[in-house]
Amino acid sequence: MQRNIRMATASAFRSVSWPGYKTLPRSKSRSMEWNTRWPAMRGRVMVARSCREAEPVRHGSSDRRGRDGHRDKSWQGECSVPAPAAQAPTPLPIMEMMSGVWVSKTVAAANDLDLFTKLSGRPPQTVEQIARLTGLSRRPAESLVVGCASLGLLRRAADGYVNSPLSERYLVRTRPDYFGGWVEVLDRHDHPGWMRLTEALREDHPTVWDSGERTSLFDGMEPGMVEVFWEGMCALSRFTAAALADTLDLSGTRALLDVGGGGAAFDLELCARHPGLRAAVYDLPFVCDLTRPKIEKAGMADRITLIPGDFFAEPRLPSGYDTLLLSSILHDWNDDDARTILAKCFAALPSGGRLLICELLLNEERDGPPEAALMGLTMLVWTWGRGFSAGELTDWLSDTGFTSVTVDRFTAPGANAVITATKP
């Protein structure tokens, strides 16, 4: 296995979980229930409407009950076609699966054209005005505008269109929560590899980069794209870091080592919330160089340090930290390498020290959830790793010597849980 792929890819994949998950309405048919996590087409009307409220169009009943008998409040949205009867499934779910690329490419193209940045702060713009802003002819401009409006990224206002709250916050380049870097990473690096998924399955090697000719994902990357790549990773990681901070009590933590923590998104978030915390990012030298300006800009250089290194090439991890963090690291590596990382974490911690593992975890039945299951395929095209369940990682931690293993669930773009383990 090509060792150099990483820590860099490791901290990069704070995970792939596309915006738009969990935003779709459910049809009454059980065969359609999976759609709550997949942005796509329903009949002739786009229904990924996470940024706007809509009155539900109910099919056959004025109430929707979940399996526990409680009202399912997530079922709301618009749909122009009747739901198929449960006993007569239709190919609509397959249509939705196959048309997911329509959604992602619409968002990526609009982001590439800076549509949302150019509309920000302007009064409602007509299609003709938007065509001039983006340098497009009227016909493609109208198709793009209508597509973005159907996805809830634009809103009609007066005789034109304006950004929705979703696109204004996350797809305008000057906003602090700009998420477009991650959109660009997926469009330019992830999607081409996915187009060769069958090859990856048959030959069992990454397709995002040539593992036969290159020693690292970053070898031969076009100029400027390394920076774009890490900006995208940081955009993704910020929201996962906030979810972790909301979920886990770290008030007793004094020194945190973020292993493979390029971008310092977790360290910046956690130090901002806990004034007594100091942190260090341990990552490849070029990743530390890219991370330094972010720490300095945040005014955290006195509390967050950078430690260049390679957790495979070096015999041990830095010591002197009561808490170690592995955020979307383990799923980048084969099982033996992942166990090696856990063993090095165990050796670096003092007695009573904690290891935190943030991951998109599979369920124990190994049939979902979709974002974790598809992460496993993402790792196939990007790395040599795979997805894990909480049970698997708990067993590995116990084998390594850790005790008091707990799992806390949350919802974030980059992970769905944090596993905490203690060194006795």
Side-chain angles (χ1 to χ4, degrees), residues 370-401:
E371 59 268 34
L374 295 175
M375 167 59 80
L377 288 172
T378 299
M379 291 300 96
L380 187 68
V381 302
W382 275 91
T383 73
W384 302 97
R386 65 180 180 91
F388 308 105
S389 68
E392 282 182 284
L393 291 182
T394 297
D395 289 343
W396 288 8
L397 289 164
S398 297
D399 293 344
T400 304

Side-chain angles (χ1 to χ4, degrees), residues 101-422:
V101 68
W102 300 354
V103 175
S104 61
K105 289 301 293 184
T106 298
V107 178
N111 184 69
D112 191 45
L113 290 165
D114 275 336
L115 172 62
F116 309 109
T117 301
K118 290 174 179 176
L119 289 179
S120 181
R122 293 180 182 269
Q125 300 289 292
T126 65
V127 169
E128 289 77 9
Q129 289 172 316
I130 291 173
R132 288 194 294 272
L133 283 172
T134 55
L136 302 177
S137 299
R138 190 189 191 286
R139 185 176 74 93
E142 182 176 32
S143 296
L144 179 62
V145 166
V146 172
C148 289
S150 74
L151 293 173
L153 297 174
L154 296 178
R155 283 185 172 179
R156 287 305 305 262
D159 294 327
Y161 296 85
V162 296
N163 286 342
S164 71
L166 182 67
S167 62
E168 182 68 26
R169 179 172 179 178
Y170 297 115
L171 294 175
V172 173
R173 292 184 185 273
T174 55
R175 298 295 185 187
D177 289 334
Y178 178 64
F179 201 72
W182 179 241
V183 173
E184 188 171 356
V185 166
L186 290 181
D187 189 51
R188 296 176 62 176
H189 285 275
D190 183 74
H191 292 170
W194 270 88
M195 295 302 103
R196 299 167 58 197
L197 177 60
T198 302
E199 176 188 337
L201 290 165
R202 286 177 172 161
E203 300 184 13
D204 191 16
H205 65 65
T207 51
V208 167
W209 58 286
D210 188 345
S211 58
E213 298 292 330
R214 296 160 55 183
T215 59
S216 164
L217 166 69
F218 302 101
D219 288 349
M221 186 175 282
E222 60 189 273
M225 196 56 211
V226 171
E227 290 78 5
V228 172
F229 184 91
W230 283 102
E231 283 300 318
M233 298 308 109
C234 291
L236 182 68
S237 298
R238 280 198 302 270
F239 300 98
T240 307
L244 172 65
D246 290 339
T247 301
L248 203 62
D249 181 10
L250 294 174
S251 58
T253 300
R254 292 292 174 262
L256 172 79
L257 180 67
D258 190 354
V259 180
F266 280 77
D267 313 274
L268 290 169
E269 179 70 27
L270 296 176
C271 284
R273 298 207 189 191
H274 301 285
L277 176 66
R278 64 180 179 88
V281 174
Y282 177 68
D283 214 317
L284 297 176
F286 85 93
V287 180
C288 289
D289 290 341
L290 290 171
T291 302
R292 185 171 291 105
K294 295 184 179 298
I295 296 173
E296 293 174 350
K297 182 179 179 180
M300 289 279 188
D302 59 332
R303 295 177 56 198
I304 302 174
T305 58
L306 294 166
I307 306 176
D310 183 327
F311 52 53
F312 285 127
E314 297 175 3
R316 62 185 61 85
L317 298 179
S319 58
Y321 299 90
D322 57 59
T323 302
L324 269 60
L325 172 65
L326 296 173
S327 181
S328 298
I329 301 294
L330 296 179
H331 67 214
D332 284 344
W333 306 98
N334 66 36
D335 290 9
D336 289 341
D337 288 334
R339 285 176 176 266
T340 296
I341 294 170
L342 292 179
K344 288 190 174 184
C345 289
F346 185 85
L349 282 168
S351 177
R354 294 193 298 174
L355 174 62
L356 313 179
I357 302 175
C358 281
E359 285 282 357
L360 268 174
L361 297 176
L362 293 166
N363 60 28
E364 300 304 325
E365 295 77 19
R366 304 191 72 80
D367 60 2
E371 59 268 34
L374 295 175
M375 167 59 80
L377 288 172
T378 299
M379 291 300 96
L380 187 68
V381 302
W382 275 91
T383 73
W384 302 97
R386 65 180 180 91
F388 308 105
S389 68
E392 282 182 284
L393 291 182
T394 297
D395 289 343
W396 288 8
L397 289 164
S398 297
D399 293 344
T400 304
F402 286 99
T403 60
S404 305
V405 180
T406 61
V407 180
D408 292 287
R409 305 282 178 174
F410 56 78
T411 299
N416 61 11
V418 55
I419 298 177
T420 305
T422 303

